[in-house]
Amino acid sequence: MLINKDILYFNLDKMEKNEAIKFAGEKLLEHGLIEPEYIDSMLEKEKTDQTYIGNNVAIPHGTLDGKKYVKSSGIVILHFRDKIDYSGKEANIIIGIAGKDGEHLQLLSEIAITLSSQDKVNELINSNSVDEFIEIFQSK
């Protein structure tokens, strides 16, 4: 999965889970991927479904109804050196997802494969720069 510096928010200060979800949504909005209502949809999704996928990674995204607020597919990546409490789990990497026309399943699949190794996730968490993070993320 290819990523670039524009979608990576590196070494962020610790924040509450809902703040992190809202921050991810705001960045999706800044990139022109969503309408503002999608952020509310992301927060609503979290009330009914757990978006934590393991290995210190969460993938907040909108509800089924919220998909109508997605302009185009894409992701943003939030990197936290310090773990944040994600509904009783520990998360260091949060990937906000906007998927148009079912493309979110492809995005979710690629993310799950890329971050399936706890060792790789640990390398990402401990990376020292944006460039190093991207190199590790894109490595096989």
Side-chain angles (χ1 to χ4, degrees):
M1 173 177 248
L2 295 178
I3 62 170
N4 63 50
K5 293 178 183 183
D6 293 345
I7 65 163
L8 176 59
Y9 300 87
F10 187 76
N11 203 19
L12 296 170
D13 291 333
K14 194 171 187 172
M15 59 183 75
E16 297 296 319
K17 177 181 94 166
N18 282 350
E19 287 178 278
I21 293 169
K22 188 174 179 188
F23 185 86
E26 289 167 353
K27 296 308 174 188
L28 290 169
L29 181 63
E30 285 176 20
H31 288 282
L33 300 172
I34 62 168
E35 299 290 340
E37 294 86 353
Y38 188 75
I39 299 169
D40 293 331
S41 175
M42 291 172 76
L43 292 166
E44 191 62 35
K45 173 84 170 176
E46 204 60 40
K47 292 177 185 174
T48 58
D49 295 314
Q50 182 59 255
T51 60
Y52 180 84
I53 62 168
N55 289 354
N56 301 84
V57 178
I59 51 169
H61 53 284
T63 62
L64 189 59
D65 187 51
K67 292 187 189 316
K68 65 186 172 195
Y69 302 117
V70 175
K71 293 180 181 179
S72 59
S73 297
I75 64 170
V76 294
I77 301 172
L78 313 184
H79 168 272
F80 299 90
R81 191 154 327 272
D82 295 323
K83 294 175 173 83
I84 66 170
D85 179 358
Y86 206 90
S87 298
K89 312 281 193 225
E90 296 177 337
N92 296 83
I93 298 173
I94 296 178
I95 303 176
I97 299 172
K100 184 108 178 119
D101 301 326
E103 291 177 1
H104 73 285
L105 294 176
Q106 178 66 29
L107 290 170
L108 291 171
S109 174
E110 289 181 38
I111 291 165
I113 291 167
T114 300
L115 302 178
S116 63
S117 162
Q118 183 67 59
D119 289 340
K120 184 171 185 174
V121 172
N122 288 341
E123 285 183 55
L124 290 168
I125 293 166
N126 295 314
S127 58
N128 294 309
S129 69
V130 169
D131 290 331
E132 184 181 355
F133 183 99
I134 291 171
E135 184 180 323
I136 294 165
F137 192 92
Q138 294 178 166
S139 69
K140 297 286 180 194

